[in-house]
Amino acid sequence: MFYPMKINIINGPNLNLLGRRENDIYGNQSFIDFFEALQKKFPKIQLLYFQSNIEGELIDKIQESAQNCDGIILNPAAYTHTSVGIADAVRGIKTPVVEVHISNTFSREEFRHQSFVSPNAKGVIIGFGLQGYELALLSFLEKH
Ligand code: DQA
């Protein structure tokens, strides 16, 4: 099957627990269920999904995706606020990266207000729950 566009969704630490973790903040849906529904909704886009709790694995996946994807949707989770390595990976590739956060990080603790990734992202979507991933996907369909 020919896919005109290939987008990799990359999730950072603890996002494998979605649906079971702090439900008041992150909701009740598992990411796999959400991902499958998203792929059905956008059958002409090839969606890939990768999650890791390990910083270096996320960096490897960002670098790899730059070789074989048209865009990256990245939720670096806690590494958003700490990782110069992930920020440098995003800075070092030409493939556009849209940063997504499920919760509104600005309405939470102050340490979540800083993102090392945002300055090098194409755009940032914060606080719309899992819908943020769909909004990020839509942004790749529009020419800016
Ligand atoms: C998060 C926000 C981060 O501060 C937090 O560490 C996460 C998830 C979000 O999607 O809202 O794990 O990236």
Side-chain angles (χ1 to χ4, degrees):
M1 195 169 181
F2 170 72
Y3 290 102
M5 193 178 267
K6 191 168 162 183
I7 303 289
N8 202 356
I9 299 177
I10 301 176
N11 274 344
N14 300 305
L15 292 173
N16 54 314
L17 299 179
L18 278 180
R20 289 179 285 148
R21 166 199 187 200
E22 298 181 274
N23 300 71
D24 49 325
I25 298 175
Y26 298 113
N28 299 315
Q29 198 173 12
S30 79
F31 198 81
I32 294 296
D33 287 351
F34 169 79
F35 178 79
E36 282 172 6
L38 191 65
Q39 181 64 88
K40 278 198 188 116
K41 201 163 170 181
F42 294 90
K44 290 191 176 147
I45 301 175
Q46 184 181 6
L47 291 178
L48 306 174
Y49 171 54
F50 177 80
Q51 189 278 330
S52 176
N53 296 325
I54 300 168
E55 188 175 11
E57 287 186 359
L58 294 164
I59 292 169
D60 283 347
K61 188 54 76 173
I62 290 165
Q63 292 184 6
E64 182 194 312
S65 303
Q67 304 302 318
N68 60 19
C69 289
D70 302 295
I72 298 171
I73 298 173
L74 174 66
N75 184 345
Y79 287 137
T80 308
H81 321 297
T82 63
S83 177
V84 175
I86 290 178
D88 280 352
V90 171
R91 193 207 300 253
I93 60 172
K94 293 198 171 66
T95 308
V97 175
V98 176
E99 180 183 348
V100 169
H101 297 285
I102 297 164
S103 63
N104 181 353
T105 44
F106 290 100
S107 69
R108 301 179 65 190
E109 303 96 318
E110 203 163 334
F111 68 83
R112 295 185 203 275
H113 298 184
Q114 184 185 9
S115 167
F116 285 102
V117 175
S118 298
N120 301 304
K122 181 183 176 208
V124 185
I125 298 170
I126 295 179
F128 292 98
L130 290 176
Q131 192 196 8
Y133 293 88
E134 183 172 342
L135 296 171
L137 191 56
L138 288 170
S139 80
F140 285 114
L141 304 181
E142 305 289 332
K143 286 268 171 276
H144 295 291

